[in-house]
Amino acid sequence: MTKGRGGKREGAAAVEFAMVILPFTFMIFALLELGLIFVVDSVLGNATIESGRLIRTGQAEAADMTAQEFRDDLCGRMSIFSTQCDDRVSIDVRVIPAFGSPVPDPMSNGTSFDESQLDFNYGTFGSLVLVRVWYRQPLVTTFLGQGLSRLSDGNARLMSATAFRNEPA
């Protein structure tokens, strides 16, 4: 007897499962990591707006707030991500001449984050202020690292910004 197309298929399901499980697992981890990035981005945006309010309302100027104190306030608003915030966050607060004015991009070289381009100047009454915050989120999934990282370090740099005119004291 010859076995044709209808021959034995023992173990075929195991082989098919082995071929599918690796890409499926990779996709699940990528989706979980992407969800985490969206949550961190949302928390970062909220923390930036809330901490920026201290500058806008004159509370930062009245308390003579330093860059480290502003960082501490922002990190305190990062909820579950506050424990690693101080090591991962970079803050730029600067007075701008007009909305839409060009500002330095610390990631413009494409290979590293240039902290020397950051400033901390919250201005005075009536100043236009731009608050920008970058959060370095390490990526585990290599595929996401290629798509989300502008720098060669394999981390996603999430950025949040708010611009406003300082209110009267």
Side-chain angles (χ1 to χ4, degrees), residues 112-129:
S112 63
F113 191 87
D114 186 6
E115 297 267 349
S116 69
Q117 293 188 21
L118 304 181
D119 191 15
F120 187 78
N121 176 10
Y122 46 77
T124 58
F125 155 70
S127 299
L128 285 177
V129 178

Side-chain angles (χ1 to χ4, degrees), residues 15-98:
V15 171
E16 290 171 359
F17 178 76
M19 290 172 37
V20 171
I21 191 65
L22 187 63
F24 179 74
T25 304
F26 177 76
M27 287 176 50
I28 293 297
F29 280 120
L31 284 173
L32 290 172
E33 188 167 38
L34 193 58
L36 175 67
I37 288 172
F38 281 126
V39 169
V40 171
D41 188 53
S42 178
V43 170
L44 178 66
N46 187 51
T48 303
I49 290 169
E50 293 297 319
S51 293
R53 185 172 289 140
L54 295 174
I55 296 171
R56 182 176 59 231
T57 58
Q59 295 175 49
E61 185 179 10
D64 198 25
M65 187 176 273
T66 65
Q68 185 59 48
E69 290 170 336
F70 186 80
R71 175 188 297 264
D72 293 343
D73 182 79
L74 182 117
C75 287
R77 297 173 191 272
M78 290 289 291
S79 66
I80 61 171
F81 306 105
S82 63
T83 56
Q84 299 171 333
C85 175
D86 201 44
D87 297 332
R88 295 183 178 181
V89 74
S90 301
I91 300 172
D92 180 54
V93 178
R94 64 181 61 231
V95 175
I96 55 175

